[in-house]
Amino acid sequence: MKHLKFYAIVLFAMLLTACSSDDDNSDTYENHITVGESVFEMHTAVVEPSLNSVFLSLANSSEAEIVAASDGTALSNVDLFTARISYLDLTPGVTYELSEISNLEFMVNGSIVGGEFENGISQFYKSGSNADLEVTQGTITVTEYDVDFIRLSFAFTRADGVVISGDYEGSFLYINNNLN
């Protein structure tokens, strides 16, 4: 009987831990962009303040590959998300509305040649030649941002009704070319 109680307690403990709630993924960042049913993994974030705005980029390439590409190494099969936000730099805890984003674009399967992105396939943009791919509403939220770490998420809707979401959490490259 003593062993039966022990096994019952072990079984009960196993059931409790097996049923613990890990379904709430609201704080889980997977470093990806989802466009409808398609998911694109992102590995690197780049923040580049400019005179009157800040450029935010996410890429499926590694930080080392992005640095090498800026030095002239050619890269292929690059997925690149870019947003130009009308502020001097990003601010933690701030949500940027679509009206505060002057340029927005996500291209896949492109190349970086001579430091320039080319020949990608558009998934969405703020303004372009295909009205269905234009984003009509959405925001970018920067949850955390300091010298070593960034956490952000975004959600947009294209004119054709396709829902877009994305998030990134981790280190980032900070490029400060124009500010002194």
Side-chain angles (χ1 to χ4, degrees):
M1 188 68 153
K2 194 175 185 182
H3 292 290
L4 187 58
K5 284 183 183 179
F6 174 76
Y7 290 122
I9 291 171
V10 169
L11 179 60
F12 183 70
M14 287 174 39
L15 285 173
L16 282 178
T17 58
C19 294
S20 67
S21 178
D22 59 353
D23 296 337
D24 180 17
N25 291 329
S26 60
D27 291 336
T28 301
Y29 289 76
E30 298 176 7
N31 297 351
H32 72 280
I33 296 174
T34 302
V35 180
E37 300 295 318
S38 301
V39 178
F40 303 90
E41 211 173 306
M42 297 289 113
H43 299 289
T44 301
V46 178
V47 176
E48 183 178 0
S50 187
L51 292 176
N52 295 318
S53 58
V54 59
F55 292 92
L56 170 67
S57 302
L58 301 176
N60 65 333
S61 304
S62 69
E63 285 187 13
E65 290 172 320
I66 296 297
V67 169
S70 69
D71 291 336
T73 300
L75 288 179
S76 58
N77 299 317
V78 178
D79 300 341
L80 184 65
F81 167 86
T82 58
R84 182 178 182 174
I85 301 171
S86 302
Y87 284 84
L88 296 177
D89 202 352
L90 300 175
T91 303
V94 171
T95 296
Y96 301 98
E97 301 293 329
L98 189 57
S99 62
E100 299 170 305
I101 303 168
S102 61
N103 188 24
L104 178 70
E105 186 171 34
F106 182 48
M107 308 270 292
V108 298
N109 296 325
S111 299
I112 298 178
V113 178
E116 298 292 323
F117 186 82
E118 56 186 45
N119 300 326
I121 301 166
S122 291
Q123 298 297 303
F124 62 86
Y125 38 69
K126 187 162 182 183
S127 178
S129 59
N130 182 343
D132 284 343
L133 298 181
E134 289 188 9
V135 171
T136 58
Q137 60 185 354
T139 60
I140 298 174
T141 300
V142 178
T143 308
E144 293 182 47
Y145 177 61
D146 61 36
V147 296
D148 298 321
F149 185 82
I150 190 168
R151 177 182 291 156
L152 61 93
S153 61
F154 55 84
F156 299 106
T157 303
R158 283 191 332 204
D160 63 0
V162 171
V163 174
I164 299 155
S165 63
D167 52 47
Y168 183 86
E169 174 182 280
S171 63
F172 63 96
L173 294 172
Y174 187 84
I175 300 172
N176 191 1
N177 291 332
N178 299 326
L179 304 175
N180 288 325

